Amino acid sequence: MLTSELRNNVLVVRVAEKRVDASKAPAFKDEMTQCIESGQSQLVLDLSNVDFVDSSGLGAIVACLKQLGPRGNLAIAGAKGAVSRLFTLTRMDKVFALHDTVDSAVEKLSS
Amino acid sequence: MISSIDLFIDSDLDKVVQIALAVRGLCTGLVSEDDLDAVELSVVEAINNVIKHGYGGQPGRDIRVLVGLHKEQVVIEIVDHAPPMQADLLNQASEERFAFDETNLADIPEGGMGLALIRMNMDEVEYSSSEGENRLRMIKRIGPRPS
């Protein structure tokens, strides 16, 4: 469900699924864990293709942030509509840096 | 009442999307886009809770979703036959769940957010359990239409 590419030492992980919900959260977490265990500590999660995230999906994203630890960064790019609203409602917009585009997120993390 | 629709699925997380999109479709045109998002999220969280916590992830159990479309409100009831939820869990759930210290990684919640989200997204939420049947009743009031 994820594709990734390295840009300026930042790993951009794109979610191909339209929904990150309770049925998809375990697979999402497993694939993200592989990215993190490969040694990447600066990550951008591209949610521009995603229409819906529930609390299980959000919990999986938080779990990835915790796995990265204080020395890593996980920025969110392209969250819109219901997805952006969920981050605001749960105050996760204070936890994750939300960027409109992957380009701006990569620029910030690689600077 | 304008109409009343009865939906059924079995307790399979992969099938929740079908009900979520069906309910969203039924409410389209009645409530705002933001309220559609709120209703969809609440329905998903409620059914996920039944499947994961009520039925313990066991497939093949029944979940019924009743959607009542009224002139002034949308009423959604999730009915199941799992062991009932602890009575005070819903009342304790609130936006306080998200009053975490964002500077402390360990304090940021990974779970236990569903009921709080339902309370925050719907105008009224009630839970009752009687004779082996549990019913979560959620109401979204229909605001004035934009002219």
Side-chain angles (χ1 to χ4, degrees), chain A residues 19 54-55 66 85 91, chain B residues 40 45 98 102 108 121:
Chain A
R19 300 173 76 91
D54 68 7
S55 69
K66 291 183 179 182
R85 185 173 167 276
R91 292 185 62 250
Chain B
E40 182 179 355
E45 296 295 345
F98 305 109
E102 63 267 22
I108 302 166
N121 278 283

Side-chain angles (χ1 to χ4, degrees), chain A residues 60-102:
Chain A
I61 298 172
V62 171
C64 297
L65 180 73
K66 291 183 179 182
Q67 196 179 357
L68 272 171
R71 282 174 296 176
N73 276 306
L74 176 58
I76 307 291
K80 58 187 187 303
V83 179
S84 165
R85 185 173 167 276
L86 182 68
F87 275 87
T88 308
L89 200 62
T90 56
R91 292 185 62 250
M92 293 299 175
D93 58 339
K94 312 287 182 209
V95 175
F96 296 92
L98 300 181
H99 296 267
D100 288 341
T101 65
V102 168

Side-chain angles (χ1 to χ4, degrees), chain B residues 29-48:
Chain B
L30 287 175
V31 301
S32 68
E33 202 61 30
D34 272 359
D35 284 353
L36 281 178
D37 292 341
V39 167
E40 182 179 355
L41 181 62
S42 300
V43 167
V44 168
E45 296 295 345
I47 299 176
N48 285 349

Side-chain angles (χ1 to χ4, degrees), chain A residues 18-89:
Chain A
K18 289 280 179 197
R19 300 173 76 91
V20 185
D21 58 13
S23 70
K24 303 273 171 39
F28 168 82
K29 203 165 148 183
D30 286 349
E31 291 188 37
M32 282 293 283
T33 296
Q34 287 174 25
C35 294
I36 294 166
E37 286 180 348
S38 71
Q40 298 298 330
S41 63
Q42 305 299 307
L43 275 79
V44 172
L45 185 63
D46 178 5
L47 295 179
S48 56
N49 192 49
V50 178
D51 293 333
F52 180 87
V53 176
D54 68 7
S55 69
S56 300
L58 187 64
I61 298 172
V62 171
C64 297
L65 180 73
K66 291 183 179 182
Q67 196 179 357
L68 272 171
R71 282 174 296 176
N73 276 306
L74 176 58
I76 307 291
K80 58 187 187 303
V83 179
S84 165
R85 185 173 167 276
L86 182 68
F87 275 87
T88 308
L89 200 62

Side-chain angles (χ1 to χ4, degrees), chain B residues 2-3 14 16 22 26 33-34 39 60 77 88 94 99 103 127 139 144:
Chain B
I2 301 170
S3 51
D14 285 331
V16 178
L26 291 170
E33 202 61 30
D34 272 359
V39 167
E77 294 179 289
D88 50 356
S94 76
T103 64
Y127 181 76
I139 293 177

Side-chain angles (χ1 to χ4, degrees), chain B residues 28-140:
Chain B
T28 297
L30 287 175
V31 301
S32 68
E33 202 61 30
D34 272 359
D35 284 353
L36 281 178
D37 292 341
V39 167
E40 182 179 355
L41 181 62
S42 300
V43 167
V44 168
E45 296 295 345
I47 299 176
N48 285 349
N49 272 350
V50 171
I51 296 174
K52 291 205 285 189
H53 304 301
Y55 289 132
Q58 191 185 358
R61 306 294 303 273
D62 64 301
I63 300 168
R64 181 181 180 194
V65 179
L66 295 101
V67 183
L69 305 174
H70 302 255
K71 198 174 174 186
E72 292 171 347
Q73 60 188 20
V74 174
V75 180
I76 299 163
E77 294 179 289
I78 314 288
V79 180
D80 68 79
H81 295 89
M85 182 170 71
Q86 210 179 309
D88 50 356
L89 275 183
L90 180 63
N91 291 332
Q92 287 169 0
S94 76
E95 59 192 6
E96 285 297 305
R97 183 73 186 100
F98 305 109
F100 51 79
D101 174 5
E102 63 267 22
T103 64
N104 178 4
L105 265 184
D107 202 37
I108 302 166
E110 289 178 56
M113 298 182 267
L115 287 175
L117 283 171
I118 294 170
R119 291 276 309 269
M120 292 161 73
N121 278 283
M122 299 300 282
D123 293 310
E124 288 178 42
V125 187
E126 285 172 21
Y127 181 76
S128 60
S129 189
S130 172
E131 297 178 354
E133 184 169 279
N134 311 307
R135 187 173 294 253
L136 185 75
R137 181 179 164 88
M138 308 183 286
I139 293 177
K140 179 58 102 179

